[in-house]
Amino acid sequence: MLAELRERSERLRRAAAALEPDQAERRELGGRALDHALAYLDQVETAPSNRPWSEVFSQTLDPEFTDDGRDAGEVLDYVAACIDRPGFATTSPRFMAYIPGGGLFHSALGDLLAAASNKYSGFASASPGAVRIENACTDWLASAIGYPAEAGGSLVSGGSIANLTAIVAARDARDAEGGGAVYMTRFAHYCVDKALHIAGRGRAPKRLIETDDAYRMSIEALEQAFEEDRRNGVRPWIVVASAGTVDTGAIDPLPELADLCSRFGAWLHVDGAYGGLFALCEEGRVLLSGIERADSVALDPHKTLFLPYGTGAALVRDRRHLLDAFSASADYIRPLGESQVGPSPADLSPELTRHFRAMRLWLPLQIAGVAAFRSAQSEKLALARYFHARVSELDNFDAGPAPDLSVVAFRYLPQDGDANEFNQRLITHIQQEGRVMISGTRIDGRFYLRCAILSFRTHLEHVDDAVDALVRGVAALNSA
Ligand SMILES: *Cc1c(COP(=O)(O)O)cnc(C)c1O
């Protein structure tokens, strides 16, 4: 019996040996993978910002999964041709569509370190060092937006989950019985509706509040809605304000919203997934003043701190609200100071076992330093103003309002024909050309082009490239 089990174990071990490359094999494979990543980065500056989907099929893996595995070189060739190349190159300095995601190299290395040691970042007792830096990161994010020391937060996978996390905390704190009303503008990100739905508040009375001519929530309209709800016996539960809308980067009037919410007892949540972290730089801090008075804030380091996708942050001004919503044990009642490294992430979010996300944020902050982030953000704000000024000088372009942050919504006004249709064709032309990637949006029935500047790699010459692409595109369409 024993002999048989020994023999069987040894046989299976040999059969599974491919999972345990030895020291030399690890160096060989690691070197190849690193070379691959470095070669990718070497071509980012010059490569197109958008490539045809059909390239996905330029090579085949048939069958997709084999019993015996494949040569690593062959697999990496597939990755280069069929994964790295087709579709958007979000890492391109000329990618100015949607919300650009440059993906810091330091963070990629942070991911490698985190995955290699695979520290368990859910609980302080399992990995005090990992939890310490996670809390250091959330404290740092909280201080970046001006939150006090009692604030708390959780690194999550992105802005959608950050908004959900905050909305669940707001539900438990202010709408436990349900029935409270929700207030937002038509520019709120659609993930807010998803979050309300998941939080069991999809049918909460919802008031779409009017905006001013810069697409910011109107304080007068919000006050009227609060008063009307009060008169009708409906309790104002939560205002979901925007600190940087996706469409135009508009920032709702945060100080006035904070005043009004405290007068009416409503929770103020700020969706700052795109714009909130601009509070780190000086210009942004001025624009975002008042964000520190919100009860909760959703942030996206994978946008405004240039991290690779998969890092959002949910922050609350009073950490207890996250603990009340997500701590599964009563242990949290003990003073938080008892854990020398701060609270465990598992007590602050729905997740237990999770990616050790902090490493990808902490490592670049350590190595590059905070000032580089601040300067990069200020540079993006300046570049967006520069882009807006340049488009204002072009013939027949409506540059729209000056940007609050780093998104500019603008459109071409053709001499004749339908402006929406022309701008849609213009965007298709520019995207197919593949040099500069911009996107579009529809605001109140009008189609706008949208230039979003938020890659750490995007500099003056790339913004000039974008203006050139517009001029080329208009000329091509007008002569067609
Ligand atoms: C990007 C964004 C979201 C969604 O965040 P994900 O990270 O994509 O989940 C929500 N709100 C705003 C304002 C955003 O810009």
Side-chain angles (χ1 to χ4, degrees), residues 399-421:
D404 273 357
L405 293 171
S406 72
V407 172
V408 181
F410 60 101
R411 64 204 309 249
Y412 183 73
L413 301 172
Q415 306 294 46
D416 41 45
D418 182 54
N420 284 354
E421 193 250 346

Side-chain angles (χ1 to χ4, degrees), residues 12 49 79 90 108 127 152 159 170 183 201 246 256 265 313 322 335 373 404 417 432 456:
L12 292 170
S49 58
V79 172
T90 52
S127 183
Y183 309 80
R201 294 294 181 273
V246 175
E256 292 83 355
L322 279 186
F373 284 86
D404 273 357
Q432 281 173 355
F456 58 95

Side-chain angles (χ1 to χ4, degrees), residues 99 157-161 163 189 191 244-246 271 273-274 300 302-303:
I99 306 275
S157 58
S160 301
I161 302 300
N163 279 301
H189 193 280
C191 77
T245 58
V246 175
D271 179 1
Y274 156 58
D300 247 349
H302 68 204
K303 291 176 178 164

Side-chain angles (χ1 to χ4, degrees), residues 77-121:
D77 285 349
Y78 179 87
V79 172
C82 306
I83 301 175
D84 290 346
R85 284 167 59 97
F88 303 160
T90 52
T91 47
S92 167
R94 285 168 275 98
F95 188 87
M96 305 176 201
Y98 310 101
I99 306 275
L104 286 176
F105 182 56
H106 297 93
S107 298
L109 298 176
D111 277 2
L112 177 65
L113 301 183
S117 69
N118 205 22
K119 297 305 284 188
Y120 192 94
S121 63

Side-chain angles (χ1 to χ4, degrees), residues 86-410:
F88 303 160
T90 52
T91 47
S92 167
R94 285 168 275 98
F95 188 87
M96 305 176 201
Y98 310 101
I99 306 275
L104 286 176
F105 182 56
H106 297 93
S107 298
L109 298 176
D111 277 2
L112 177 65
L113 301 183
S117 69
N118 205 22
K119 297 305 284 188
Y120 192 94
S121 63
F123 269 117
S125 51
S127 183
V131 170
R132 192 191 79 78
I133 72 159
E134 175 122 0
N135 283 320
C137 286
T138 50
D139 287 351
W140 180 77
L141 292 170
S143 74
I145 61 160
Y147 261 177
E150 322 76 80
S154 172
L155 294 182
V156 296
S157 58
S160 301
I161 302 300
N163 279 301
L164 171 63
T165 303
I167 283 169
V168 169
R171 179 198 66 195
D172 289 7
R174 300 281 174 83
D175 196 47
E177 305 299 315
V182 182
Y183 309 80
M184 59 177 102
T185 75
R186 66 194 182 288
F187 297 107
H189 193 280
Y190 74 89
C191 77
V192 171
D193 281 332
K194 255 204 223 179
L196 288 165
H197 171 71
I198 299 169
R201 294 294 181 273
R203 297 201 183 149
K206 185 168 120 183
R207 318 293 182 217
L208 279 188
I209 306 300
E210 281 306 304
T211 52
D212 64 17
D213 52 9
Y215 307 120
R216 302 175 185 130
M217 190 183 288
S218 155
I219 291 296
E220 294 72 30
L222 179 64
E223 184 168 10
Q224 274 172 22
F226 276 168
E227 277 170 354
E228 192 178 325
D229 276 332
R230 274 240 173 125
R231 268 199 306 280
N232 296 324
V234 177
R235 185 173 34 82
W237 163 39
I238 184 172
V239 173
V240 180
S242 299
T245 58
V246 175
D247 288 297
T248 64
I251 302 171
D252 289 332
L254 302 175
E256 292 83 355
L257 287 177
D259 288 341
L260 206 56
C261 285
S262 65
R263 247 178 66 207
F264 283 82
W267 179 284
L268 176 59
H269 171 65
V270 173
D271 179 1
Y274 156 58
L277 275 167
F278 276 112
L280 189 60
C281 71
E282 212 167 299
E283 301 86 333
R285 191 159 40 243
V286 175
L287 292 167
L288 290 157
S289 105
I291 195 170
E292 74 287 351
R293 294 176 59 196
D295 295 288
S296 57
V297 176
L299 299 173
D300 247 349
H302 68 204
K303 291 176 178 164
T304 317
L305 292 177
F306 321 118
L307 263 57
Y309 298 131
T311 312
L315 301 181
V316 289
R317 204 177 48 215
D318 179 347
R319 186 193 301 170
R320 300 240 145 232
H321 290 304
L322 279 186
L323 290 164
D324 286 344
F326 297 111
S327 176
S329 71
D331 279 357
Y332 73 83
I333 307 285
R334 74 172 183 253
L336 296 164
E338 264 183 41
S339 159
Q340 288 168 8
V341 296
S344 286
D347 284 331
L348 298 166
S349 92
E351 291 177 291
L352 178 55
T353 304
R354 58 211 279 287
H355 178 57
F356 174 21
R357 295 181 184 108
M359 189 60 116
R360 43 161 53 188
L361 175 54
W362 185 83
L363 198 70
L365 287 169
Q366 293 301 323
I367 295 177
V370 179
F373 284 86
R374 253 189 240 119
S375 300
Q377 289 185 340
S378 297
E379 181 197 11
K380 303 317 143 195
L381 295 174
L383 289 176
R385 276 155 189 69
Y386 172 78
F387 178 82
H388 181 261
R390 284 220 50 200
V391 171
S392 305
E393 287 179 352
L394 297 179
D395 289 339
N396 303 320
F397 270 91
D398 166 15
D404 273 357
L405 293 171
S406 72
V407 172
V408 181
F410 60 101

